[in-house]
Amino acid sequence: MTKNILISGASVAGPALAFWLRRYGFNPTVVERAPAPREGGYAVDFRGAALEALARMGILDEVKQYATQMGDMDYVNSAGKRVGSTPPVVFSGELEVLRGDLVKVLYERTRHDVEYIFNDSITSITQSGHGAAVTFERGAPREFDLVIGADGVHSNVRSLVFGAEEKFAHHLGMYVSVSTVANYLGLEYRGRCHNTPGRMAGMYPARGNTEAKALMFFTADELDYGRRDTARQRELLNTAFAGEGWEVPRILDEIRRSPDFYFDSITQIKMEHFTHGRVALLGDAGYCASPLSGMGTSLALVGAYVLAGELASAVDHQTAFARYEDEMRGYIKACHAQAAGAGMWLVPGSNAMIRFRNWNYRLLRLKPFSGFFTKVALKAANTIRLKDYAAFTRAA
Ligand SMILES: Cc1cc2nc3c(=O)[nH]c(=O)nc-3n(C[C@H](O)[C@H](O)[C@H](O)COP(=O)(O)OP(=O)(O)OC[C@H]3O[C@@H](n4cnc5c(N)ncnc54)[C@H](O)[C@@H]3O)c2cc1C
């Protein structure tokens, strides 16, 4: 029925979908705005059904080779004394790798039989009964059977087909920044962070402790800045953490020298329908749960598995898209709910709440409560049962 499928975005969701589409005999093309696969960013983790999706792709062992092997996250006071800690499952899920390493694995697995177009972006999509006519910033116009937006929380495809971001974006009152910095604290497979009301500054080691990621959260109503204006984003971060104690001045200094500064609002994308005609959204583009959920990468991988499987097994794309939405809805809802509750624990709003949180974290590390963290951290992760689409695999 449908053969030629254009995917916008070559991060996690896009290449994962391309992988499955090739396996089912489709012909995917991936267009990415960046000039090459984008490395950098923070550690991403997999929980529950996402591990099964990796296993079914046959890449679980390869991805495991990049495991960060992160241990506990320690919470320290302004003097650097530990006042609480969480086990690895809270920040690192069941398997954690650096986002750039995952992107590399997915790209390498697909680049030989998938057409990748870098340095370009879709400018218009015109749907008709027999296809979608697409124009690009640089390349010549082309016809596709379907278009998939896997282009992140600020999705271009979503804006072009479904409407302005404001219609679907729910700001959770917080901002996040992640940057690669020197591991000057000498952290060894465990992170360290410090809270003041509405602020969290932290560091965790990466690449076998040879470097670190500075992880900063702060609460704020919606701020005014350009998405590509990193100078202004750095200024907002510095203002938010001005006058903070512990290691914050030094960490801000390290971030100034970082090669890969990342800054964004903590936002969820909520859409009643994330498919329309010949267009579907995937991953953060359609249902971003925000980094607070710990489920962004899992949602992207599971979404890619389900969308490709439904396209392979249905008689037409309308049926496939309806089933994709149905299969994903409960899982998305659970992931969104998981994020909503996490914010007040990660970035408490008052000193009393910080003390209460730390007391809880000390208590919950005691033996009688040993399963608590795992239960909470994996609550949403298994709310979907992956169907078996193996019968639709085509010979290469
Ligand atoms: C460089 C980078 C660093 C990140 N670092 C962090 C981090 O530190 N913390 C965090 O919580 N989350 C981070 N994320 C987001 C996180 O990776 C996603 O939440 C998760 O992996 C879901 O993946 P996704 O593929 O749906 O979306 P994303 O990983 O956001 O990927 C979207 C892709 O679409 C591309 N794209 C965007 N617009 C267009 C366009 N107009 N045309 C073509 N392509 C387009 C982007 O360049 C990107 O490659 C980062 C994302 C990127 C791109």
Side-chain angles (χ1 to χ4, degrees):
M1 48 140 185
T2 308
K3 272 286 167 205
N4 299 317
I5 302 181
L6 176 64
I7 302 166
S8 173
S11 176
V12 176
L17 179 67
F19 173 96
W20 284 111
L21 290 177
R22 281 301 299 159
R23 192 169 277 194
Y24 299 135
F26 295 96
N27 182 26
T29 296
V30 182
V31 60
E32 163 64 49
R33 194 183 54 201
R38 293 176 65 185
E39 298 188 5
Y42 76 140
V44 295
D45 60 60
F46 309 94
R47 299 167 194 229
L51 285 166
E52 179 58 27
L54 284 178
R56 291 190 191 183
M57 289 173 95
I59 62 169
L60 179 58
D61 287 340
E62 189 182 350
V63 173
K64 275 184 178 169
Q65 287 172 18
Y66 292 97
T68 61
Q69 294 168 18
M70 264 297 286
D72 291 1
M73 176 63 84
D74 292 326
Y75 294 79
V76 299
N77 64 17
S78 56
K81 183 174 178 289
R82 184 153 62 119
V83 288
S85 70
T86 49
V89 72
V90 174
F91 269 84
S92 310
E94 294 177 281
L95 169 65
E96 181 186 66
V97 299
L98 293 185
R99 181 193 158 279
D101 289 339
L102 176 64
V103 170
K104 227 174 354 188
V105 169
L106 293 171
Y107 178 61
E108 283 302 320
R109 285 286 179 141
T110 49
R111 73 188 179 97
H112 298 293
D113 55 2
V114 169
E115 179 191 16
Y116 276 91
I117 304 167
F118 288 100
N119 225 350
D120 211 344
S121 174
I122 298 171
T123 47
S124 73
I125 301 169
T126 309
Q127 302 190 54
S128 67
H130 55 271
V134 179
T135 59
F136 298 90
E137 268 174 26
R138 290 192 170 73
R142 284 171 67 171
E143 279 276 337
F144 294 90
D145 296 310
L146 302 177
V147 179
I148 311 297
D151 41 9
V153 63
H154 307 295
S155 169
N156 177 43
V157 171
R158 189 180 59 231
S159 304
L160 290 171
V161 176
F162 297 81
E165 185 168 316
E166 298 76 65
K167 275 170 69 182
F168 311 108
H170 294 254
H171 179 56
L172 298 191
M174 212 180 281
Y175 285 80
V176 61
S177 165
V178 187
S179 310
T180 303
V181 295
N183 182 11
Y184 80 92
L185 288 173
L187 299 169
E188 290 191 11
Y189 298 108
R190 56 197 293 157
R192 202 174 293 170
C193 64
H194 173 64
N195 283 93
T196 56
R199 307 278 178 275
M200 193 206 92
M203 264 175 70
Y204 58 87
R207 300 206 186 283
N209 305 318
T210 58
E211 62 183 36
K213 304 283 175 184
L215 176 64
M216 319 289 275
F217 287 94
F218 64 94
T219 53
D221 291 337
E222 285 190 65
L223 298 168
D224 185 26
Y225 66 94
R227 278 213 320 273
R228 311 240 169 92
D229 187 354
T230 51
R232 168 86 178 127
Q233 294 166 12
R234 284 171 186 271
E235 184 187 312
L236 289 168
L237 184 74
N238 286 328
T239 305
F241 284 89
E244 292 282 304
W246 184 57
E247 293 287 335
V248 171
R250 171 80 191 262
I251 293 176
L252 290 176
D253 233 33
E254 295 288 338
I255 292 173
R256 255 170 232 129
R257 290 193 285 273
S258 171
D260 61 359
F261 178 77
Y262 174 84
F263 182 94
D264 210 342
S265 62
I266 299 282
T267 292
Q268 291 189 330
I269 299 296
K270 293 189 175 175
M271 304 180 77
E272 205 180 321
H273 292 287
F274 39 92
T275 65
H276 177 77
R278 294 178 171 273
V279 179
L281 301 175
L282 171 66
D284 278 5
Y287 32 81
C288 177
S290 90
L292 291 182
S293 72
M295 292 301 296
T297 309
S298 294
L299 271 167
L301 280 175
V302 168
Y305 175 82
V306 173
L307 176 55
E310 294 301 342
L311 282 168
S313 57
V315 289
D316 54 36
H317 73 270
Q318 291 93 333
T319 310
F321 282 180
R323 286 193 196 150
Y324 164 54
E325 289 197 348
D326 284 350
E327 285 292 311
M328 293 295 292
R329 206 163 267 126
Y331 181 50
I332 294 168
K333 199 170 161 206
C335 294
H336 280 203
Q338 182 150 307
M344 62 179 264
W345 291 94
L346 189 70
V347 191
S350 67
N351 279 317
M353 187 57 202
I354 293 171
R355 283 195 296 274
F356 178 68
R357 191 269 319 263
N358 294 343
W359 177 80
N360 268 280
Y361 281 179
R362 288 195 298 274
L363 184 74
L364 291 166
R365 297 307 300 262
L366 301 176
K367 218 169 179 143
F369 307 106
S370 62
F372 175 83
F373 281 112
T374 305
K375 199 169 152 211
V376 171
L378 303 184
K379 198 169 162 201
N382 289 307
T383 50
I384 185 166
R385 199 180 57 79
L386 299 186
K387 282 161 69 173
D388 186 357
Y389 305 105
F392 302 98
T393 303
R394 302 276 166 82

